[in-house]
Amino acid sequence: SQELEQSPQSLIVQEGKNLTINCTSSKTLYGLYWYKQKYGEGLIFLMMLQKGGEEKSHEKITAKLDEKKQQSSLHITASQPSHAGIYLCGADPPAGNMLTFGGGTRLMVKP
Amino acid sequence: GAGVSQTPSNKVTEKGKYVELRCDPISGHTALYWYRQSLGQGPEFLIYFQGTGAADDSGLPNDRFFAVRPEGSVSTLKIQRTERGDSAVYLCASSLIHRGEAFFGQGTRLTVV
């Protein structure tokens, strides 16, 4: 089965700083999703990447999928307290229906 | 409503009791997923519906867990003889197509005491 490992597991940054979260897969990624979750709430879709080398941006968040399609990074520029939460990467399997998630990265942004 | 709705938001039950968790997906979404999330972990897949049928129930942990979606819209996750280890947040998601962008509900926090 496909496993996703996220690093770091937790992160505390000062407001205004940039940060990067990584998601590494044990197998080739066929569809990679980034979600954000706040405590007590559901997951909010951020971005989906499918092609090797693909990069997408939304406001101050940029996600990339490497050429070999086994690693993705999420980069936040000039972090704000509103960016705080848990960031989860999820992956489509090559076949079947089970979307697999990483363990999450807990981000805190200090004002 | 505009989003995926899950009820109740919180449920506390005694060990051994039966519980039902409800998911109301976005109208028109044919794919529906149930996940379970334990504290400090990512969501774990339980079951996937395409329309009324369970296309993949390989994530259900044992036969105490069962889910239905009789009319292809609302889904109910049923847990019999609850155990303390069942305590978790149960998340429901729906998408217009399978493998498309999935929209998640707020989750039901189940606590078995």
Side-chain angles (χ1 to χ4, degrees):
Chain A
S1 62
Q2 185 164 34
E3 294 185 1
L4 296 177
E5 186 168 327
Q6 288 187 237
S7 62
Q9 290 184 338
S10 63
L11 189 57
I12 303 174
V13 300
Q14 196 70 40
E15 181 178 359
K17 295 294 185 184
N18 303 336
L19 63 105
T20 300
I21 298 168
N22 293 302
C23 175
T24 302
S25 172
S26 59
K27 299 182 179 180
T28 299
L29 292 163
Y30 291 89
L32 189 285
Y33 303 78
W34 282 101
Y35 284 88
K36 180 185 175 184
Q37 184 179 33
K38 291 205 166 185
Y39 180 77
E41 300 180 13
L43 280 63
I44 300 169
F45 173 83
L46 296 175
M47 277 170 276
M48 177 187 175
L49 304 165
Q50 285 186 301
K51 300 175 183 176
E54 186 175 9
E55 179 176 322
K56 288 186 177 178
S57 293
H58 176 67
E59 297 180 344
K60 294 184 178 180
I61 301 176
T62 300
K64 301 178 185 179
L65 182 61
D66 76 354
E67 291 288 345
K68 295 183 178 179
K69 296 175 67 176
Q70 284 201 255
Q71 186 171 34
S72 178
S73 61
L74 185 84
H75 185 76
I76 299 178
T77 304
S79 58
Q80 300 169 359
S82 61
H83 287 128
I86 300 170
Y87 289 82
L88 291 156
C89 64
D92 278 328
N97 311 297
M98 181 171 58
L99 184 63
T100 302
F101 284 93
T105 295
R106 287 144 192 81
L107 173 65
M108 288 181 57
V109 180
K110 296 168 61 177
Chain B
V4 178
S5 176
Q6 290 188 247
T7 54
S9 54
N10 280 283
K11 176 71 177 178
V12 180
T13 190
E14 292 181 348
K15 179 173 176 290
K17 298 290 187 182
Y18 167 83
V19 296
E20 289 189 354
L21 312 180
R22 176 188 168 108
C23 173
D24 204 334
I26 292 173
S27 178
H29 281 194
T30 58
L32 185 147
Y33 309 82
W34 282 99
Y35 287 83
R36 178 169 70 173
Q37 186 176 25
S38 299
L39 190 64
Q41 298 181 19
E44 294 178 292
F45 170 80
L46 294 177
I47 186 169
Y48 154 63
F49 286 91
Q50 182 59 45
T52 60
D56 185 345
D57 64 358
S58 62
L60 295 177
N62 51 60
D63 61 7
R64 295 187 296 106
F65 288 74
F66 188 71
V68 296
R69 194 186 186 199
E71 298 179 358
S73 178
V74 172
S75 176
T76 305
L77 179 65
K78 308 180 181 190
I79 310 174
Q80 298 177 323
R81 305 184 303 280
T82 51
E83 299 177 357
R84 292 196 178 88
D86 299 334
S87 297
V89 175
Y90 289 80
L91 295 165
C92 175
S94 71
S95 63
L96 192 57
I97 58 172
H98 177 47
R99 288 178 175 247
E101 176 187 343
F103 295 83
F104 281 79
Q106 304 276 56
T108 293
R109 183 174 300 278
L110 175 67
T111 304
V112 182
V113 297

